[in-house]
Amino acid sequence: MPIERISFPGHNGDMLSARLDLPEGPHLATALFAHCFTCSKDIPAARRIAGRLAAMGIAVLRFDFTGLGHSEGEFANTHFSSNVADLEAAAAYLQSRNMPARLLIGHSLGGAAVIKAATKIDSAKAVVTLGAPYEPHHVSHQFGDAVAEIDAAGQAEVSLAGRPFTITRDFLTDISGQNLQPCIASMKKALLVLHAPRDTTVSIDNAARIFEAAKHPKSFVTLDDADHLISNAKDAEYAAGVIASWAGRYLDLAPPAPPPGAPEGIVRVSEADPEGFLQDVNAGPLHHMLADEPLAYGGSNRGMTPYGFLAAGLGACTSMTIRMYARRKSWPLTHVWVDVSHDKVHARDAEAPAGQKVDAFTRTIHLEGDLTEEQRQRLLEIADRCPVHRTLERASEVRTKLA
């Protein structure tokens, strides 16, 4: 996906370093991502989630808060309120580019920050939290015995994830004075809470309290065995898929205009893993799937194979065609399913020129209901009228051009 490297002024004028992950195809909406405490915009979870959302048509702005990553400023002079102000500045920057932030996503303390900022970002229609604390002062548990020293001396150096950070008394005072409950209850935006039951940094009871405080529409999805940083690629991909599917219900995602002769729109297939074969498959703005190859062929087996998609298209079209006919005839067909297999067969088995192999799709059609034998045979004949069946049986033309 194309990534634009940008900077914009933060809450106090310091320039904040940012990345704008852009869709390769139509831009359907824009999201704003807030990273976890003392992390950066480049943390793997942020990169993976932003990349996957961009593949689904949602641009994502992720930036370093003041004093972190590549942003200007001193971390020691920041606190939770300044993070919220940075989020407002990021939203204003997107608005200035006519890319209003419709979706706010926050990870850990960044999740608490987007809840706080949501009431001030009018363009936002939906909010997502990942492993977020219900009370911002929860982060002080990471400071251990240094809290007493901070109170006494005004500041202290604390080691977080192996790196030193200066934490001030102002920081502790600021997070202690935060109360998210009124913000959650009054933000009037759709809320999705994502949290891992085994999160040892921010326990899942925080997610329960956020969810209980929110008004509908709201959703709660667990991240199973994910760790707090969502460091596993599969967990990040799952979270991104859930976010994109959920957000589609609340964002105004205008579908891309189809080209002439393609009334059902465009199917875009975009490489998701250059080291393997994983592909993002998007049919318009609302339908997303994964294509892959089995492990034995160098893939990661996270999606159907290309031939699996062909077989699925044939099976789906067959089932729909049978149902349409039975419905029109008012026949007692209660259920239909189609098993499809694909193989390469020798030409002599398919009456094709000698020495060649051809593709063979085998359909086994299951019909349930109080049907006569004559009706069953008629439905079997109707299966051959399936448009995809006809397309596969006749010669097709594939036109290819460079973009």
Side-chain angles (χ1 to χ4, degrees):
M1 299 301 157
I3 299 177
E4 187 178 329
R5 289 164 172 78
I6 58 176
S7 60
F8 61 89
H11 71 283
N12 64 353
D14 288 324
M15 297 304 293
L16 304 185
S17 176
R19 298 290 184 270
L20 183 60
D21 295 74
L22 294 164
E24 289 185 338
H27 174 207
L28 307 178
T30 303
L32 180 56
F33 190 101
H35 61 70
C36 50
F37 181 56
T38 69
C39 297
S40 78
K41 65 182 181 305
D42 298 314
I43 187 173
R47 287 190 287 104
R48 289 167 181 151
I49 290 174
R52 187 62 81 237
L53 290 175
M56 299 172 190
I58 301 175
V60 181
L61 178 69
R62 47 192 172 96
F63 69 96
D64 294 328
F65 285 117
T66 299
L68 290 172
H70 296 94
S71 289
E72 296 178 350
E74 294 294 330
F75 176 79
N77 297 329
T78 67
H79 39 59
F80 181 77
S81 293
S82 70
N83 287 351
V84 173
D86 281 346
L87 276 168
E88 293 178 47
Y93 169 78
L94 287 172
Q95 191 72 48
S96 71
R97 291 188 53 170
N98 198 28
M99 300 173 65
R102 303 291 188 195
L103 177 63
L104 305 180
I105 307 170
H107 182 198
S108 191
L109 192 63
V114 297
I115 288 174
K116 186 77 173 182
T119 56
K120 299 180 180 180
I121 301 177
D122 294 335
S123 62
K125 304 300 180 185
V127 176
V128 179
T129 64
L130 301 108
Y134 176 71
E135 298 172 330
H137 72 75
H138 178 280
V139 74
S140 63
H141 298 320
Q142 299 183 45
F143 306 153
D145 296 337
V147 172
E149 181 182 350
I150 296 168
D151 279 335
Q155 66 180 46
E157 189 173 277
V158 177
S159 178
L160 300 171
R163 293 181 297 155
F165 291 91
T166 298
I167 306 297
T168 67
R169 186 188 296 123
D170 286 343
F171 182 95
L172 293 182
T173 301
D174 183 75
I175 58 174
S176 296
Q178 301 294 332
N179 180 8
L180 292 187
Q181 195 281 333
C183 299
I184 298 171
S186 64
M187 67 180 179
K188 297 180 180 180
K189 304 178 194 297
L191 174 67
L192 171 61
V193 179
L194 293 165
H195 212 109
R198 299 182 183 180
D199 190 332
T200 57
T201 302
V202 179
S203 62
I204 197 169
D205 62 290
N206 285 270
R209 295 180 69 184
I210 292 173
F211 185 79
E212 290 170 0
K215 292 181 172 61
H216 286 288
K218 59 182 178 179
S219 303
F220 191 152
V221 177
T222 62
L223 294 178
D224 300 323
D225 295 328
D227 58 23
H228 181 66
L229 294 180
I230 319 178
S231 54
N232 185 288
K234 290 183 179 180
D235 293 326
E237 289 165 5
Y238 172 72
V242 170
I243 292 169
S245 297
W246 173 86
R249 297 179 63 90
Y250 306 104
L251 305 183
D252 183 18
L253 301 182
E264 294 184 37
I266 296 173
V267 174
R268 172 166 280 111
V269 181
S270 178
E271 186 178 60
D273 179 11
E275 302 299 322
F277 297 111
L278 186 66
Q279 308 289 319
D280 277 306
V281 182
N282 291 278
L286 300 178
H287 304 291
H288 173 254
M289 297 143 285
L290 295 175
D292 205 346
E293 289 287 353
L295 296 173
Y297 292 92
S300 54
N301 200 32
R302 282 186 265 175
M304 284 199 301
T305 66
Y307 277 111
F309 276 99
L310 269 178
L314 176 60
C317 185
T318 300
S319 179
M320 292 174 185
T321 301
I322 290 173
R323 171 55 66 190
M324 187 184 304
Y325 188 86
R327 184 181 295 143
R328 188 165 63 243
K329 292 289 188 178
S330 299
W331 287 357
L333 176 64
T334 57
H335 185 59
V336 56
W337 77 94
V338 183
D339 295 331
V340 183
S341 61
H342 168 262
D343 200 1
K344 296 278 190 180
V345 299
H346 286 285
R348 64 175 179 271
D349 299 328
E351 300 180 356
Q356 295 183 9
K357 283 189 175 183
V358 296
D359 293 278
F361 291 89
T362 302
R363 289 180 299 184
T364 302
I365 299 172
H366 302 261
L367 305 173
E368 291 184 354
D370 189 16
L371 298 163
T372 67
E373 185 59 29
E374 183 180 359
Q375 289 171 332
R376 292 172 60 84
Q377 288 301 315
R378 181 56 177 160
L379 290 175
L380 181 62
E381 294 172 8
I382 290 300
D384 288 343
R385 296 185 183 180
C386 156
V388 172
H389 177 189
R390 292 179 170 180
T391 297
L392 289 173
E393 281 201 326
R394 66 173 177 254
S396 299
E397 179 183 0
V398 178
R399 301 173 182 174
T400 305
K401 62 182 180 180
L402 284 173

